[in-house]
Amino acid sequence: MNSKDAEELLERAEALYRDHRLQSVREWKRRSGGLAVGYLPIYIPRELLHAQGVLPVGLMGGGDDLEVIRGDSYYQSYICHLPRSTLELGLNGSLDCLDGMIFPAICDVIRNMSGMWKMLFPDKLVRYLDLPQNFDREIGGKFYRRQLEELSQDMVALGARPLEEESLRRSMAIYNENRRLVRELWELRREEPWKVPASEFYLILRAGLVLAVEEHSRMLENYRMHVHADPGRKPMDQARVLVTGCFCEQPPLGFIKTLERAGCYIVEDDLVQIHRWFHRDIPLEGDPLENCIAAFLEDAVASPTRYIGDQEKGRELVERARRSGAEGVLFCAPSFCDPALLDQPMLVAAVEKAGIQWTGFKYTENLGQFQVIREQAGTFADSIRLWSGV
Amino acid sequence: MLSPIEPEVLLTAGIDVGSSAIKVAVLREAAADGARILAARCERIRRREPANVAEAILRETLAAAGVALDELAYVATTGEGEIIKRRTGHFYGMTAHARGGLFLDPEARAIIDIGALYARAVLMDERAKVLSHRMSSQCASGSGQFLENISRYLGVALAEIGPLSLQADRPEQCSSICAVLAETDVINMVSRGISIPNILKGIHQSMAGRYLRLLASTGARGVVLVTGGLAADRGLLSALREAATEQGSPVEIRSHENSVLAGALGAALWGAFRVRKLAGKGIALGAGGQR
């Protein structure tokens, strides 16, 4: 892959990121004649939809280049920005190529939004996917199985093919491969962060929300080949940081670039977290649906949207920081994000106890002024590089 | 020729990309006898591409210092220096100015960096660790750009501002709140026949008042070094000292002939610091400062 190909790959990824009208999804539907169903952050079992021939389309709000006019009228000022822009996209027809919408259990705002969507778009399938908060297979597992079976039946009612074991197993293998490619690039970023800038990798991950998984895996492979071959990716003396809190509403691309330019290597984060929801591959042997359920219950990341007591989340964050060699933690939460901000004091306490430096920002997806972020991140990076261990 | 891998002696470069000028300094830093400037340059950007100007000045400064690029142990940038691709690392402006200020005047425990777009007061300790800082508000009336605009209206060259201000006998009070109001004040003063020295001194006094308030808000005491482009304006320095005396301020305002280079010097010094710190962890930077 030469540098022109790589440039084109990144341009395509950015075009997909900015394409609110989902042109690539429309083309996929034209080509395949299949169904496309949207989902909100942060997790749905995409393997299931894939096995039934449905394209799962991840929606992460309107970013920083969408003017929200009607969406604002549905929410009070103390509600985060993502539901406003998502509603705006629905109301302005950008999402009309989607045959349905799945609202996973993130927070009350998104749960209520599923009800609003039903009223606003009565002709479309709307499903609130209630993810279990009890991780016992006998309790949460049975509950989750019912949820998935109902989801699968919803797809059939839309016109998708029924869920079959073998096709689910094949889809799980395809998604395992996709997640493995993501993990490899993540590992490379930890080892040599200058080779995989967060701002580039973020676009590649965002592309995976709208492309068919097979095409996204090819994109990941091509990107990996390029970063290995590109001699222009030279290391700099930057502070290694872990960015956490941005699992649902995403910061604008300029925010990520600002952190990097201010002297930070982002070696770990929870952006577009669905690509790294599981620590390991989902096993293919045995009952594939049961394996998907077990993976969700027992191998998922410690997301703020999951109820995990006994300070486990703090321990996992510190472990992630240590594993990635992060010298500092940036708590970056969207304004008014209850799950992120409610977890934050507990996480800060764990980070402080572990002797790791930290600082915090808040953002909205349409943030346009980065000077304050630049100053804060710049001084944080300086303080790590100059004064840590002194 | 010194070797960049020789731990006792390091050669580093600092590049401070400001909004109107680029400053470059090449230093020799030795564990035994500290740092000294081998060569330094300051050049106005004048509507050129800043990255290209910085590259050209770096080459010139290295040539003047007799140092090759690959002999540098660290290329440090500050200001808007993120645009420089060949940098080893970037330091935030106040971190760099604090270090540069301490290098130029070891007694300084605060600096006030007055640049083209804003002023920034920084309180620091004896290691140049930043303890507190305050920036001027978004209004341009506390900035070098404002002074430059006024000089243009008055038909005065930038270099003449300081000497003319020192000739004032009855300075005219000027708005200290808003650049637009201040410019209107100046137009009125000209039409009222106020002399140029008295107008300039009035502006300097207005700016000095703002800077002293900034310094007071950081808790600065003792020696304060003025850095940045306006550190060379003798009229402003005089106004600052007079205002400090009148107000009974606990600060002693100082400047240095190389104050304008403080950011570049500080960046180069922090670069050397990082090389030694990383070496202590067993991490070596390659030729030209590549990590």
Side-chain angles (χ1 to χ4, degrees), chain B residues 144-165:
Chain B
Q145 186 63 53
F146 166 67
L147 204 53
E148 200 171 324
N149 290 348
I150 296 294
S151 74
R152 204 176 303 121
Y153 300 148
L154 296 175
V156 171
L158 277 178
E160 293 174 329
I161 293 176
L164 282 170
S165 170

Side-chain angles (χ1 to χ4, degrees), chain A residues 131-150:
Chain A
L131 299 166
Q133 295 293 351
N134 182 312
F135 304 111
D136 184 317
R137 285 200 198 194
E138 283 304 307
I139 303 168
K142 282 184 176 167
F143 170 81
Y144 190 37
R145 177 176 271 273
R146 275 200 303 279
Q147 287 285 311
L148 297 187
E149 284 167 352
E150 284 175 15

Side-chain angles (χ1 to χ4, degrees), chain A residues 194-195 230-236 265, chain B residues 85 87 290-291:
Chain A
W194 52 92
K195 287 195 173 166
D230 183 1
R233 293 174 183 247
K234 300 258 173 67
M236 285 189 289
Y265 276 137
Chain B
K85 292 232 163 65
R87 70 186 188 274
Q290 290 295 325
R291 188 169 175 176

